[in-house]
Amino acid sequence: YTTHTSNLLLSRFLPQTSGASRVVQNVGETRNQGIELSLSSRNVVTEDVLWRTNLTFFSNREEILQLTGEGDDVANGWFIGYPTAVFYDYEKIGIWQESEADEAASFGQEPGEIKVKDQNGDGEITPEDRVVLGSPRPDWSGSLENKINYKNFDIGAVVCARVGQMMQYEYYASYKPQGVENGASVDYWTPENPTNAFPRPNARYSDENYQYFSSLTYEDASFVKLRSVTLGYTLPRRLANELSLDHMRIYFKGKNLLTLSKVEDYDPERGGGLSWPMTRAFVGGVDIRF
């Protein structure tokens, strides 16, 4: 499919001098191009066994074609050729190491501090070195569902995936540059631990004045998840009739059982926030029909 939208309505930031913070405007044109696929199969069909599979795949590319005004709108985070939601910031490429002390000094920094990429190669880090790092929109998503019936027993499992998306991880934003208590447990740089993950603890800095602090918070949010597993048993019709029932099925279901991602101890489907996490749930029930 291809969808073209003109006179797109979005909430736009206004200068503080305007007396209002936002206004809804027709800001430009976008195009969405994508593909959706669905495949269902009956893999095994016998007197006692029925195995069915459902596969879905979805991929969408969203891009801004035109914006009101001249070119990109940096203040609102809108860039021609990119989705309407992106992460625009400095690109963190590591932590300055002791062997790079001279090069770090040329940027006014020291070993142990955040190293970002000089995109235009002019020997300075300026706002012009910010780039679009990624988007919360996945490159593709899909799911695979299998259902197997064996006589009166049934089992079903759903695996889903989203690949190619980015998130701003709230947990990393709770990192404390001073290395004090009540901060995120992170891999700090020290001379004895020359990591490229997080900068050295420094009592002089806070969240507000640590250079390029926000560049620490972006994370690849791709994941593969065991969405659910269901086990069930249907009472034979003869036994159900003895109980004056037309049908009775007992089942047990688990949700969000396993998530594989690059983010430790967090489900990226939540999108980076720490409030209202994706919970693992177990549910049992009885389906009765009279």
Side-chain angles (χ1 to χ4, degrees):
Y1 64 85
T2 297
T3 303
H4 185 277
T5 304
S6 58
N7 295 320
L8 178 68
L9 281 169
L10 285 178
S11 180
R12 188 173 201 164
F13 285 113
L14 293 177
Q16 293 183 351
T17 54
S18 67
S21 60
R22 291 174 174 268
V23 65
V24 176
Q25 287 185 339
N26 297 109
V27 299
E29 300 179 15
T30 61
R31 179 174 61 203
N32 282 270
Q33 295 178 309
I35 184 171
E36 298 178 9
L37 298 175
S38 178
L39 176 65
S40 298
S41 66
R42 291 159 61 92
N43 309 308
V44 177
V45 181
T46 68
E47 183 179 350
D48 293 330
V49 179
L50 174 60
W51 174 19
R52 294 165 291 173
T53 298
N54 296 308
L55 173 67
T56 62
F57 175 85
F58 170 71
S59 179
N60 179 76
R61 174 174 169 76
E62 177 194 20
E63 58 180 329
I64 298 173
L65 300 179
Q66 182 178 339
L67 288 168
T68 302
E70 298 181 3
D72 299 335
D73 187 336
V74 177
N76 286 280
W78 299 329
F79 303 89
I80 293 175
Y82 292 92
T84 54
V86 297
F87 297 111
Y88 180 75
D89 209 334
Y90 297 100
E91 181 183 359
K92 173 180 173 285
I93 55 176
I95 303 297
W96 288 110
Q97 303 298 322
E98 291 187 315
S99 61
E100 302 172 305
D102 292 340
E103 185 181 358
S106 70
F107 289 95
Q109 294 184 268
E110 300 175 356
E113 296 183 337
I114 300 170
K115 181 181 181 181
V116 299
K117 187 173 182 179
D118 179 12
Q119 300 287 346
N120 55 20
D122 64 356
E124 296 181 314
I125 301 298
T126 66
E128 285 67 36
D129 290 302
R130 294 176 296 170
V131 294
V132 174
L133 301 174
S135 170
R137 313 279 196 256
D139 291 336
W140 64 268
S141 59
S143 68
L144 178 67
E145 178 182 18
N146 279 285
K147 295 181 179 179
I148 300 175
N149 292 77
Y150 174 71
K151 295 184 177 180
N152 293 87
F153 294 91
D154 62 88
I155 181 172
V158 179
V159 176
C160 64
R162 293 182 191 169
V163 177
Q165 62 188 10
M166 178 177 280
M167 70 180 183
Q168 195 162 18
Y169 193 16
E170 187 178 334
Y171 178 72
Y172 289 163
S174 64
Y175 150 78
K176 300 298 182 183
Q178 308 92 338
V180 295
E181 68 279 359
N182 298 324
S185 177
V186 298
D187 186 14
Y188 287 103
W189 182 97
T190 66
E192 297 75 28
N193 181 47
T195 176
N196 277 296
F198 282 81
R200 66 183 186 186
N202 193 322
R204 293 182 300 151
Y205 291 116
S206 67
D207 299 0
E208 291 75 24
N209 65 8
Y210 208 122
Q211 273 190 310
Y212 319 124
F213 177 83
S214 61
S215 69
L216 297 171
T217 61
Y218 303 105
E219 186 64 86
D220 181 358
S222 301
F223 67 86
V224 177
K225 171 184 289 191
L226 180 58
R227 171 76 71 195
S228 66
V229 173
T230 304
L231 299 173
Y233 175 75
T234 302
L235 228 61
R237 182 175 292 276
R238 178 179 58 82
L239 293 178
N241 291 339
E242 290 179 1
L243 297 173
S244 301
L245 302 173
D246 287 338
H247 171 87
M248 180 176 179
R249 177 174 175 266
I250 303 169
Y251 66 90
F252 182 78
K253 185 173 186 176
K255 299 181 179 179
N256 295 324
L257 299 177
L258 176 66
T259 301
L260 302 177
S261 75
K262 294 182 179 180
V263 186
E264 185 178 0
D265 299 325
Y266 181 79
D267 188 340
E269 189 175 8
R270 180 63 187 89
L274 296 181
S275 302
W276 307 289
M278 303 293 295
T279 56
R280 181 177 294 129
F282 299 93
V283 179
V286 180
D287 178 14
I288 297 176
R289 302 173 196 171
F290 296 97

